[in-house]
Amino acid sequence: MPRYNLQKMIKLMLPGIFLMLLAPVIHSQLHDLNVIQQQLLNYMPPLLGGLAIILCISFNQGRLLLTTINLLCLFLLIQNQLQTSLSQPANFVLFSGLSLLFPLLQLFINFIPERGLSSRWLLRHLPVIISGYLFFWLAAQNHLLSAWFSALPVGLIQMFSDPYLLSQWAVYLFAVSTLLGLVILWFRATLADACLVIITLAIAAMLALFGETSVSVLSCTLGLILILFTVLFNSYSMAFIDELTGLPGRRALENTLRSAGRRYTLGMVDIDHFKKFNDTYGHDVGDQVLRMVASQMKQAARGASVFRYGGEEFTIVFKGMDEVSAIEIAEKVRTAIAAYPMRIRDKNRPGDEKKGRQQRNRSSRPEGTTEVTISIGLCEKTPQHKDSQAVIKQADEALYLAKQQGRNRSVASHIVQPRARKTSS
């Protein structure tokens, strides 16, 4: 198992793991709630669920929407039908059915590709989630469940481990759902997939400890909080993070400049002859170039913030620095990219990142690589600049001058003799 994939999975699961660790602490305090506070707590899952549904629809989070509905349906059925002892045959049958239905539906949701929301998409998937709970609700309303008790298989009657209340079949199904969810998380590596895995585990724990006071309210509330966090974080990423390079985008740049203070230097960066890469090798290679430049800029621009401005343009913000200090870092960024052996990906490229780095480091310019260079224009914020847009405009002018002087160089607006250190190809 490659280490970097494992680290990424753990990082994605940290918010959910934190909530699961917090749950026992919160549960220990629930005994001190009075009747009114307990009633207010019971309203939390429907309120949070309604908010989560609105946000999921607003930000086209289809799988999280289905998970929210799965969680809400489970909670509502528990609240309305399972508030008395499981020793009653009808309650035991309903509990056993729900312990199979929830992980089965989570397994179904895991395999759905995230393609946004549409009426057709909802009509295809929503009935699958609702129909199972509707079936059990109608059976409970018509007093049919107790008659099914004698027909339950041994796998649903026999508990997996005392004193926990999950049956053998339920444990197996939760285990399959969780393991396949982890496999999907491994390949997709999204926060939504991590959220689905954690919620599956949380509901398994809740059903196993079903005899504890308010355990269903607490588990569903924390699960819905995790969904809300995931939706909001995903919406933030879509608005502020460039998906291709992983760098903050132009909106994030605007926010940074508003709080950058009176002293900073801004660098506008452009990839030289970028159109050539797209025309010669295709847009896939062009995307490789953009990702490589972004990665090298993040590593080399120590003490500065890097942004994807748009197209083949990037921006570097040097907070608290004048042009003299900023151009030194800019030159490190420029030379790091110029010296990088950009290997065009092919079928023989190693899948492991460590092996890929070893292959690139075998020589300074291995066969089958190409050179990528950048030009940088810098401008220091001065009292003469009306706002950040004026700084960007002057940095753009310096960038244009760097292009005119032959590319692969850094030019600062207020330095009389701009540095022109061109790296030989």
Side-chain angles (χ1 to χ4, degrees):
M1 180 178 287
R3 185 179 176 185
Y4 63 92
N5 273 13
L6 180 61
Q7 290 175 337
K8 188 171 185 180
M9 286 177 65
I10 294 173
K11 184 178 179 181
L12 289 169
M13 295 178 71
L14 280 178
I17 293 172
F18 171 76
L19 285 178
M20 287 188 71
L21 294 175
L22 191 63
V25 179
I26 299 175
H27 185 263
S28 64
Q29 306 299 318
L30 295 182
H31 301 286
D32 299 330
L33 296 180
N34 58 41
V35 176
I36 296 177
Q37 291 171 332
Q38 183 65 51
Q39 289 176 343
L40 290 175
L41 180 64
N42 291 338
Y43 287 121
M44 288 299 294
L47 291 174
L48 292 174
L51 179 59
I53 289 172
I54 293 172
L55 290 178
C56 287
I57 293 173
S58 301
F59 296 112
N60 284 321
Q61 301 288 303
R63 289 187 302 145
L64 290 176
L65 173 64
L66 295 180
T67 301
T68 300
I69 294 172
N70 192 19
L71 202 54
L72 271 179
C73 288
L74 176 69
F75 173 77
L76 292 174
L77 207 51
I78 288 173
Q79 289 297 103
N80 284 278
Q81 301 294 331
L82 289 177
Q83 295 304 301
T84 51
S85 174
L86 293 183
S87 60
Q88 298 181 21
N91 287 355
F92 187 84
V93 171
L94 179 58
F95 177 83
S96 300
L98 294 180
S99 67
L100 298 180
L101 179 62
F102 185 88
L104 190 63
L105 291 176
Q106 285 299 102
L107 193 60
F108 167 72
I109 294 169
N110 266 310
F111 282 101
I112 298 174
E114 190 66 80
R115 294 176 180 171
L117 286 172
S118 65
S119 299
R120 186 176 180 180
W121 189 93
L122 286 173
L123 287 173
R124 185 185 305 166
H125 298 106
L126 195 56
V128 177
I129 306 298
I130 295 176
S131 58
Y133 292 103
L134 184 61
F135 169 80
F136 280 112
W137 181 78
L138 290 173
Q141 293 300 304
N142 289 280
H143 308 288
L144 301 175
L145 295 174
S146 57
W148 298 347
F149 181 78
S150 59
L152 288 179
V154 176
L156 279 178
I157 296 175
Q158 190 169 356
M159 297 298 102
F160 185 83
S161 175
D162 290 332
Y164 305 109
L165 299 177
L166 276 181
S167 66
Q168 292 180 348
W169 283 14
V171 169
Y172 296 147
L173 196 51
F174 268 108
V176 169
S177 181
T178 301
L179 289 174
L180 288 178
L182 287 170
V183 171
I184 292 170
L185 173 60
W186 173 269
F187 288 104
R188 286 181 179 168
T190 68
L191 190 61
D193 292 302
C195 177
L196 265 59
V197 170
I198 292 295
I199 285 177
T200 302
L201 288 172
I203 296 304
M206 180 264 282
L207 293 174
L209 301 170
F210 196 72
E212 298 290 331
T213 305
S214 301
V215 68
S216 60
V217 176
L218 177 61
S219 299
C220 292
T221 297
L222 293 179
L224 289 165
I225 289 173
L226 181 59
I227 290 174
L228 286 171
F229 166 80
T230 304
V231 173
L232 292 173
F233 186 87
N234 283 345
S235 64
Y236 167 84
S237 297
M238 287 188 290
F240 291 93
I241 305 297
D242 176 61
E243 184 177 1
L244 178 65
T245 63
L247 292 176
R250 191 180 295 193
R251 288 186 180 181
L253 171 63
E254 292 171 356
N255 284 350
T256 298
L257 292 177
R258 277 196 288 266
S259 60
R262 296 182 179 181
R263 189 186 183 196
Y264 65 86
T265 297
L266 184 140
M268 293 299 295
V269 181
D270 187 80
I271 302 175
D272 298 329
H273 304 295
F274 182 72
K275 188 175 183 295
K276 179 184 72 174
F277 291 99
N278 283 332
D279 293 343
T280 305
Y281 302 109
H283 289 284
D284 288 343
V285 173
D287 289 346
Q288 287 179 220
V289 171
L290 290 169
R291 283 192 288 264
M292 182 277 289
V293 170
S295 175
Q296 292 300 305
M297 288 179 70
K298 283 195 294 185
Q299 292 180 38
R302 301 290 183 181
S305 301
V306 181
F307 302 85
R308 171 92 184 275
Y309 193 74
E312 69 270 27
E313 284 191 304
F314 298 84
T315 305
I316 310 176
V317 177
F318 306 87
K319 288 186 179 181
M321 293 189 195
D322 57 19
E323 287 182 1
V324 175
S325 301
I327 202 170
E328 292 182 3
I329 300 176
E331 280 292 285
K332 291 178 181 179
V333 172
R334 184 189 64 78
T335 54
I337 291 171
Y340 186 88
M342 178 66 192
R343 182 178 294 275
I344 305 302
R345 292 178 187 261
D346 55 29
K347 294 180 181 179
N348 298 320
R349 186 180 189 274
D352 186 272
E353 182 64 22
K354 184 177 180 181
K355 292 180 180 178
R357 284 198 299 268
Q358 290 173 349
Q359 186 184 71
R360 292 192 294 268
N361 292 334
R362 285 173 185 168
S363 65
S364 59
R365 187 65 63 189
E367 184 180 354
T369 63
T370 185
E371 184 183 52
V372 178
T373 63
I374 61 172
S375 298
I376 305 175
L378 298 111
C379 177
E380 180 182 346
K381 172 74 166 63
T382 66
Q384 284 70 42
H385 293 108
K386 181 180 178 182
D387 51 27
S388 60
Q389 291 303 311
V391 181
I392 292 174
K393 183 178 179 182
Q394 193 165 347
D396 257 330
E397 292 172 359
L399 174 61
Y400 179 73
L401 182 59
K403 295 281 189 181
Q404 279 189 323
Q405 291 180 357
R407 295 182 170 85
N408 189 20
R409 65 188 65 230
S410 303
V411 172
S413 300
H414 298 97
I415 296 178
V416 177
Q417 297 292 332
R419 301 183 181 190
R421 304 174 187 172
K422 187 171 182 179
T423 301
S424 58
S425 300

